[in-house]
Structures are given as structure tokens and as C-alpha cells.
Amino acid sequence: MVQLLRGLALVWLCLLQLTAAIDVDWESTDSIKAAAKIVAADTRRYFVGKQEDGKIGVTLLPAPYYWWEAGAMMGSLIDYWHYTGDTTYNNFVIEILQSQAGPHNDFMPPEQRSSLGNDDQAFWAIAAMSAAEYKFPNPPDPDQPGWLSLVQAVFNEQVGRWDTSLCNGGLRWQIYEVTGYDLKNTISNGCLFNIAARLARYTGDKKYADWAVKVWDWMERIGLISTSFDVFDNSEAQKNNCSRLDRNQWTYNAGTMLMGAATMFNYTDGSELWKNRTEGLLGSVASDFFPGGIMKEICELHEVCNPDQKSFKAYLSRWMAASTKMAPFTYNTSYPLLLSSATAAAEQCAGGENGTLCGIKWWLNGTWDGSDGPGQQMCALETIQSVLIRHVDAPVTADGGGTSQGNPDAGFNQSAVPPGLRHTPATEGEKIGAWFLTAVMIIAVVGMWVFMSTSLGEWGGSSLAGKKAPSTSPSTGFWYGMTRKGGKGKEKEKVDPVPEVLDLNESRRSTMTENPSRRNTMTSNPNLSSTSVLEGTPISMSKKGSKGILSPIMEQKGFADSKASLPIYRGGDEKT
């Protein structure tokens, strides 16, 4: 009897969810807009940052959600206005974006420092980029930074953090030396690529396009973008110099690269290179994330998605739709996938007391999965409203209708620089002290020269007072010690003459065999010093396997065999 009652209760719950789910006529723009309006209202309810006195607090979304996701929410509500024309949330979005710009107008508010990574900062900048491209209302106060200026500030600061000390390039996940600082991940670099490409198109300034190319090339060379256009998650810098990859694939990583590539196709007036890259990424997206035609995150099946991951599908939907305006040839592939996913998402929006909260498992055939949150809402909102992409205009440019105020020199504040690299301007007292010390050193040098020029300073052969003269060899002594020190007085790591090479396809290690002829040639060549081997020559790249990482090789000048080479780096691009 108890089992019968439970069964009836389950049937009743399913029927209730089916009747409460959002009903949409996908042939009617009004019906789609009405559905988006319901989902947008439920999305807005998760924002808790506005206090009773009207001020914006530190916590913008309820725990356990991080600050960056509130920026992503602002981007979704800007998209909502763009697709529907509904201005309900415009003033709210303007207020929140401006409140989080921080004292330096770069989306680095001091109160968010504990959780502020490069990707966090970038998601707020991406919302501002959409505001500029869609002609979202400009800030009402002329003293407030324009949307374009905010994006340029973030770009300027992030390219300043481009780190060649390890992996020969790349942006770290974290800005400050906290947990995660060691990772060079796709979302941080991908967002920089996304922003750079869109700034290039919007402003027409080639420097942004150059950076988009630089980021793509670096990601491709270390293997974050495979030869088959799979997009992997991250690599560790300090631990293994980006020689290993975390090969997990997430929707938002692929999405940010797709949007950037499509924008570069548009910026270059239909470059065949960027067309191939855009097509390759879209093909990978379609096969990896749309089983049965419905978008699915890899963590959903086993219910292991964390709060961040429950929002990732929102950004793939956002960027798949927007890419069709940048590269129209993507429409015939993207639109059917977005439509089938939007249909499934709307049917999943059957939870909560109001019967319209959205879950994440759209593949459950209309049965609400019991989960809810801002991530689930944004996923449904972006996917449902993306079906309206054919009814809206393409993003504008500065010369093509854009009105947002920019500042190409924005950013560069002290808070953007990691600890240990900050510079404090010298005081007047310190300057006077420096001049005094310089004068003393000059007098000392002159005195030493006079001393060395007299008979008192003669060495008397190879010794003075029974001591051997200091060595002047470039490979020993004081000067060699100076050249072997890093900027912080830490000795540089020595390169193993038999380095390990990781074969990611086979998930095993192999060891390169040592070539005696190279060792003998190095020893016998007086023009080849140890420092020139390590620092003086360019890197050439070679690929291994269809999805393998690129193995950088440093060519050695002065070898008897001009093709001989010695492995130095195992990740990164060529030094410039």
C-alpha cells in the first residue's frame, strides 16, 4: 500500500511538473520572448547584493556562488535586453557593472581580491564588451567609465600579466599567488583571446588582433587546442612547465574560443585560416557536447557538477548564437542545436514553488531534475533567447554605430600586479640618498683605477701577495655567478641533459636517448658556452599525434651537424 501511494505521488509530481513547465511556440517570437521573460525574472531573484539602504554589498550571489558569476549574470541580462527589447533590468545592470568597476575602473574591486582571478575579471569585461557591441544604454553619469573603456582596461592589465617565465607564455589562472596560481588554463587565456578579437573588430586597432593571434598560437602550441580542435582545460606551469594537460573538456572553454575565432574571421574579412578554425571548433562542439542534439556537460551524468560548472552551458549557447553573426556559415549547424536544446531546457523549467525554476539535465525528457540555482537559470535563459538570433542585428563597431566611450590607455594600476612585482615610487629622501651613494661609488671606482694604474696595483704575474688573480673566465667567478641569478636572487633551474618527454596519447613517459656526438661537439666547440645553449637560440616546434602536445626543441648553433638539437622547453611558444 505504501509503495502504491509513493508511486501515485511520483506520477502526480511528474504531471504537475509537465503542466507547470514553460510552454513555448518556437515559431512565435512573442512566445519565445514571453518564455525568456519568465526565466529572466527567476534569474534576477538570485541576486542578493543590493542591501536595504540601496548600497551594493560584497556578496552578490548567495553562497557558494562566486563573484565572477554575478558578472556573467549581467552579461545574460544584457543579452536578454538585446534579444527581447525588454528594458526591465537595464538600470539594475548599469548600476551593478559600475559598482564593480573598482577604484581604478578595471573590474578589480578590493573587496573581491580573495577570489579574483584573470577569468573572474574577464567575465565582467565580457559583459561590458557586449554592452558596447549591442549599444546598451551608456552610463548616465559622464564621469563614469564607458563600457569600452572598462574592457580596454582589463585587456591592458591582462596582457601585462602575460608570463614567459614558464611555458614560454600564457596567462595564469589567478592574478595573485594563491591556490590555482600555478595553472595556465584555457578559460583565462580563452577570455583574453575572446576580448582581444572583439576589441580588434570594434575599434579596428590591429594591436588587439595581434594579441588574439598570439594567444591562439600559444594555446595551440602547448596543446590546449588540439589538431582536431578539441579544447582542453589547463596545464600546470610551475610543476611541469606545461608538459602535461588536464584533458577535461568543458562547454565554456570551447565557446569562448569559438566566439573569438568567428570574430577574427569577421575582422579579417573572411580569412580562410580563421574560417577553418571556426569550422573545426564548431564541429568539435557539435560532436562533444550535443549527444542526441541536446547540450550536455560532462559532469551531469554522474551528478558531480559544482556550482560554477552548472552555469557553463549558458556561455556556449551565448557564443554559439553570437558567432552566427560574425561567421554566418555557422548558422546551419548552430541554430538547430540551439533550438533542440532550448526546447529541452524550457521543458526542464518546472521546479520550485512557482513551477518555473530550471534544472540542468535537459535530457531528462521534461522531468525537472530537482536542482536550481543562478547557473541553471542562466543556462536556460541564454539558450532559450538564443533562438531569437535571426531576429536581431549584428554587433556594431566604433565606426558602425557604436557610441561607447573608450580609453586605449585605461588600466595599468598597482593592484593588477602580482605581489613581489610592485614598484613604489622613490621619495625625495631616497633619491638624495641614491645620488649620494652613486657619488661614493664613482669615487671608489676612480680610486681603484688609480691604484691599479700604479706600481702598487701591479699583479706581479699571476699572483699578488701570494694569492692567485681572480678568474676572468665567462664560465666561472663573479660575473658568471651574476648571470646565473634570477631577478630575486634565486638560481635558475638547471636543464637536465636527458629530459623526460611526456607522450599524452599513451599516458606514459619515455626518455630521450643522449647523443654522444652532440655532447662531444659541444665540448669541442669554443664558441658555444653553456649560457648560449640555454638562452641564445630560438625554439622550433613539432607535433606528436592527432591530439598530442607540441614538443618544443631549441636549435643549437655551432654544432657540426646543423640539424642537431637539444630539448630545452616542453611547453610554450617561441620567445620574441
Side-chain angles (χ1 to χ4, degrees), residues 60-115:
L60 304 185
L61 297 177
Y65 301 98
Y66 287 100
W67 175 73
W68 76 272
E69 199 162 333
M73 180 184 289
M74 298 307 108
S76 293
L77 293 176
I78 290 171
D79 289 347
Y80 170 74
W81 165 81
H82 177 62
Y83 283 120
T84 68
D86 184 356
T87 62
T88 299
Y89 306 107
N90 286 12
N91 290 337
F92 164 72
V93 170
I94 293 171
E95 179 185 15
I96 301 306
L97 286 175
Q98 290 293 327
S99 74
Q100 300 305 300
H104 302 288
N105 297 326
D106 58 358
F107 291 123
M108 289 191 67
E111 62 272 16
Q112 301 297 343
R113 172 173 169 162
S114 63
S115 64

Side-chain angles (χ1 to χ4, degrees), residues 268-576:
T268 56
D269 295 324
S271 158
E272 194 67 23
L273 173 65
W274 287 108
K275 180 180 181 181
N276 292 338
R277 288 172 171 176
T278 304
E279 286 180 332
L281 287 167
L282 184 56
S284 180
V285 162
S287 63
D288 291 340
F289 301 117
F290 288 87
I294 298 174
M295 192 186 301
K296 186 177 183 180
E297 200 70 70
I298 60 173
C299 58
E300 292 175 14
L301 183 61
H302 300 290
E303 298 186 355
V304 293
C305 299
N306 67 31
D308 286 349
Q309 294 157 3
K310 290 176 182 177
S311 74
F312 287 176
K313 293 194 293 188
Y315 319 124
L316 178 56
S317 292
R318 174 192 296 177
W319 289 321
M320 282 180 70
S323 293
T324 66
K325 293 298 185 182
M326 297 293 97
F329 63 84
T330 64
Y331 180 87
N332 289 339
T333 298
S334 293
Y335 185 80
L337 294 173
L338 290 170
L339 178 59
S340 58
S341 296
T343 303
E347 292 175 353
Q348 178 68 202
C349 295
E353 294 181 358
N354 61 2
T356 58
L357 292 184
C358 304
I360 196 67
K361 297 179 181 178
W362 301 342
W363 38 274
L364 287 180
N365 298 320
T367 302
W368 180 49
D369 62 11
S371 73
D372 67 90
Q376 291 92 317
Q377 289 301 130
M378 284 192 288
C379 288
L381 177 60
E382 289 282 16
T383 309
I384 290 170
Q385 65 194 16
S386 72
V387 178
L388 296 168
I389 188 65
R390 54 184 174 170
H391 302 292
V392 297
D393 295 329
V396 300
T397 63
D399 293 334
T403 61
S404 185
Q405 293 297 311
N407 177 7
D409 297 321
F412 301 112
N413 70 81
Q414 286 286 306
S415 66
V417 182
L421 299 179
R422 298 180 184 175
H423 300 281
T424 303
T427 64
E428 288 301 318
E430 289 171 335
K431 291 179 181 178
I432 294 172
W435 278 109
F436 177 77
L437 182 60
T438 301
V440 171
M441 292 183 67
I442 291 173
I443 294 171
V445 170
V446 172
M448 180 63 73
W449 178 79
V450 172
F451 175 79
M452 296 289 290
S453 300
T454 64
S455 59
L456 291 175
E458 292 180 359
W459 290 99
S462 61
S463 66
L464 176 65
K467 296 181 180 180
K468 290 187 177 181
S471 169
T472 57
S473 168
S475 61
T476 60
F478 175 77
W479 292 112
Y480 178 71
M482 289 293 289
T483 60
R484 294 293 294 168
K485 299 287 184 180
K488 296 182 181 180
K490 182 179 179 181
E491 187 170 345
K492 293 182 181 179
E493 294 180 1
K494 296 181 180 179
V495 178
D496 189 340
V498 191
E500 291 180 315
V501 175
L502 182 66
D503 186 342
L504 292 174
N505 290 323
E506 302 296 334
S507 298
R508 57 184 172 83
R509 291 179 180 271
S510 60
T511 303
M512 296 188 65
T513 57
E514 196 172 18
N515 187 335
S517 64
R518 294 183 193 171
R519 184 172 62 251
N520 295 338
T521 304
M522 288 178 65
T523 304
S524 62
N525 189 339
N527 297 321
L528 189 63
S529 69
S530 59
T531 52
S532 68
V533 171
L534 292 175
E535 300 169 0
T537 52
I539 301 172
S540 62
M541 314 298 296
S542 62
K543 292 186 178 181
K544 184 172 184 178
S546 61
K547 295 184 180 181
I549 65 168
L550 300 168
S551 303
I553 302 297
M554 182 171 283
E555 297 176 355
Q556 304 303 319
K557 295 180 180 179
F559 284 172
D561 179 2
S562 62
K563 296 181 180 180
S565 59
L566 177 69
I568 298 296
Y569 291 101
R570 288 175 290 174
D573 63 351
E574 297 184 16
K575 288 185 177 180
T576 56

